[in-house]
Amino acid sequence: MLTLRSLKQQLEEGKQKEEQLYRLEEKQQAAYALLKKQLKDIQTQIQELLQKPFLLEEYHQIKKAV
C-alpha cells in the first residue's frame, strides 16, 4: 500500500526527472541552433568561393608546382 511518504517521494522524483528533461531539451535546442548557424556559414563560404573561379586555377598551379 502506498503511503503518503512514498507518494511524496515519487512526486519529487517525477519533478526532478521533468527538470532534467527540460534541461536536455534546452541543450538540444542550443545544439540545433549552433549546427544550423554553422551550416549557414559553410554555405556562405561555398558561395563566396564559387564566385572566385581563379582560386581553382591557382590551386591547380600550386599543385603542379609541388
Side-chain angles (χ1 to χ4, degrees), residues 14-61:
K15 286 180 181 180
Q16 289 174 358
K17 288 181 181 180
E18 182 180 19
E19 192 174 310
Q20 288 173 343
L21 179 60
Y22 181 74
R23 285 194 301 266
L24 285 173
E25 287 174 352
E26 284 181 328
K27 288 179 183 178
Q28 182 183 22
Q29 289 174 358
Y32 176 75
L34 178 60
L35 286 173
K36 194 173 177 181
K37 182 190 178 309
Q38 289 174 336
L39 177 60
K40 183 161 179 59
D41 291 346
I42 290 169
Q43 290 172 330
T44 301
Q45 291 172 359
I46 289 171
Q47 287 301 318
E48 289 173 358
L49 289 174
L50 288 175
Q51 294 180 14
K52 299 177 183 179
F54 64 90
L55 288 178
L56 184 58
E57 187 177 322
E58 283 184 23
Y59 168 76
H60 287 301
Q61 289 175 358

Side-chain angles (χ1 to χ4, degrees), residues 6-20:
S6 68
L7 287 174
K8 285 182 179 180
Q9 182 181 357
Q10 288 179 5
L11 178 62
E12 185 59 35
E13 289 171 359
K15 286 180 181 180
Q16 289 174 358
K17 288 181 181 180
E18 182 180 19
E19 192 174 310
Q20 288 173 343

